Amino acid sequence: MQRYDIAIIGGGIVGCCIARQLARYDVNVAVVEAANDIACGSSKANGGLVHGGYDPKPESMKAKVNARGCELYSQWSQELGFAFERPGSMVLAFNDEDRRTLDRLRAQGMKNGVSGLAIVDPKRIHKLEPRASEMAVAALWCPQTGYVDPFDVAISAAENAAANGVDFLRGHKVTQIAAKNDGFEVETSAGSLWAQRIVNAAGNGCAEISRMAGAEKFNLVWRQGNILVLDREMHPYMPLYPTPTPVSKGVIVTGTVHGNTVVTATAAIREPGDTDTYADDMQKLLDGAQKLVPSLDTRRVIRAFAGGRAVIDGLNDFLIRRSALVPGFIQVAGIQSPGVASAPAIAQKVEGLLREDGTVLHERSDYQPLRRPPVDFDQLDIDAQDELIQKDHFWGKIVCRCETVPEAEVIAAIHRTPGAVSVEGVKRRCRAGMGRCQSGFCQSRVVEILARELNCTPEDVLLEDAGSQIVSGPVK
């Protein structure tokens, strides 16, 4: 039985950021993830917005970590090499009631420590974002808001954590937890492990993990969100929000670090695990987007998908604390929006909770905070591209034409640690299949490369999780 000082259950963006935060210390850490890859749950089913921090209720846990997490993204992106843009955002008001909401949000944001908030008039709105609706009478301008690729953040943090000694146990679904005097015995679908401390960052599985450990009982509501991805624009949109409701920030139009436009997200209570997309939700997204940007060309939609937020029933907040029932068990539950924005600060918060719980954390002398990101061939000038091709012919074999991804990038995605073990894992790491055709041309090539590099047959290659084989029989 492998023994660890700390087991982080859950390999989403929050779990990976916690792993990266703890990797600087002289402790044995494992990330235990049920899926066969990291960032397969809520982390891949959101728009990647790094919210500024004006929306959470002051003194809530969300308020305590949102603004701080947003601030930390500048440092984390530099150290880990993931793309991060901070274009600022606007909440648009269309009537007097909306205008009063802007005043409330600005006051909240100031209490939460968000700097630079201002109410701006229509002239300023259209200087900041000329495509915003001319019907807007005012807006809350927040210069701190940004966006990231959420699974790129998780993968970057995981790679840095792994380089500093953290183990990633993928395909290890936790089936039983036994609390002992000196720690926990954790049974998984792929074997057992022992940990002195457990961090419950299991996303939509956090209620079940808490129950297994004999810790706090709570119920999760599956608040499903549908999202639309549009083809690339020459000039990505500044994030534009409507005035929020008690349960949602509303339908948002935003750019991405890759130049796409995203319309995110609906908020409907559905059965747990429901990731289907629904026509009425799509229409709500389109209507909401065109209210903010009437000229938005919705014919450019290339993908629609859905995911579920980990919302604790009756608590519109994060649950981040030491368990009151089980010593050594840290709750990081109910991480819905603004979870992406808050992730680096949540990681710092968990470090503090572990120290309070008696965990001794001595910084390692060989800790390496920097990660060298993989080469993005599409972003290089032609001379740099030619130089790579001369050294390795795989750089000259373009697998994904939409995103200009050569075979060398796919190979690198598979062999990084933790590397891709599925078609979707490759897609998340190097964008092969993210473009206009959505894998229509490149998927067969990615399957072929995975089979070769993983030393298996094409019939064994998975789209994502176990049982998702793409090929049902021998191929030429």
Side-chain angles (χ1 to χ4, degrees), residues 429-449:
R429 285 168 175 80
C430 66
R431 293 187 60 78
M434 285 281 191
R436 184 175 299 166
C437 83
Q438 289 290 294
S439 299
F441 288 96
C442 66
Q443 188 177 90
S444 60
R445 286 286 293 118
V446 172
V447 170
E448 177 187 350
I449 297 166

Side-chain angles (χ1 to χ4, degrees), residues 35 39 41 50 110 135 204-205 209 223 257 289 292 398 421 444 466 470:
V50 179
M110 293 173 67
M135 301 301 292
N204 282 302
I209 296 299
R223 188 183 294 166
V257 293
L292 299 172
I398 302 301
V421 293
S444 60
I470 298 170

